[in-house]
Amino acid sequence: MAKYLLLKHYRGAPAPVNDVPMDQWTPDEISAHMQFMADFADKLEKNGEFVDGQALAPEGTFVRYDGEGRPPVTDGPFAETKDLIAGWYIIDVDSYERAVELAGELSAAPGKDGKPLHEWLEVRPFLSVPSNTAE
């Protein structure tokens, strides 16, 4: 089995078909969306394909080392992940094709007016270290 990241973006991906920001959804629309996400995770768990899934809060800060004895530097002149990444699922599936199939299903999460978002999701394999086949 191979692990893949299904990455949900706020921005940075092509716009979804139902492109209405969540802050313009009704509480019922938000609840329906969140229930879809929970049901999706439950399905993955029952299939043995779920590893992890998280939604991210909008807060966040870039941090980097700035030299011995100096405090870390925060933020910078670039887009931050808090502006780009909404959340993710980590799945463990038999094939890339299955990862794409699940991403397509997740793309149908309901949005404004209960219509599917048709959002773009990024499917990225985890980097694997080749096993040592020498004996």
Side-chain angles (χ1 to χ4, degrees), residues 32-45 89:
H33 181 81
M34 299 308 289
Q35 187 62 55
F36 180 96
M37 304 304 278
D39 292 346
F40 184 78
D42 288 345
K43 175 187 155 188
L44 292 175
E45 196 160 8
Y89 284 94

Side-chain angles (χ1 to χ4, degrees), residues 32-78:
H33 181 81
M34 299 308 289
Q35 187 62 55
F36 180 96
M37 304 304 278
D39 292 346
F40 184 78
D42 288 345
K43 175 187 155 188
L44 292 175
E45 196 160 8
K46 287 177 185 155
N47 292 344
E49 298 173 316
F50 183 81
V51 176
D52 187 31
Q54 299 291 326
L56 294 173
E59 302 83 25
T61 304
F62 266 107
V63 177
R64 76 170 172 86
Y65 174 75
D66 197 38
E68 189 64 41
R70 300 180 67 173
V73 176
T74 60
D75 288 335
F78 34 77

Side-chain angles (χ1 to χ4, degrees), residues 47-128:
N47 292 344
E49 298 173 316
F50 183 81
V51 176
D52 187 31
Q54 299 291 326
L56 294 173
E59 302 83 25
T61 304
F62 266 107
V63 177
R64 76 170 172 86
Y65 174 75
D66 197 38
E68 189 64 41
R70 300 180 67 173
V73 176
T74 60
D75 288 335
F78 34 77
E80 296 193 43
T81 56
K82 67 184 177 207
D83 297 325
L84 303 175
I85 301 171
W88 70 84
Y89 284 94
I90 298 173
I91 57 174
D92 194 359
V93 295
D94 289 329
S95 66
Y96 170 77
E97 290 76 19
R98 178 64 177 152
V100 168
E101 177 184 342
L102 290 170
E105 185 178 328
L106 185 56
S107 172
K112 182 71 176 154
D113 299 324
K115 296 178 182 173
L117 290 173
H118 296 271
E119 70 180 322
W120 291 91
L121 291 137
E122 186 176 354
V123 177
R124 293 190 61 185
F126 277 67
L127 186 60
S128 61

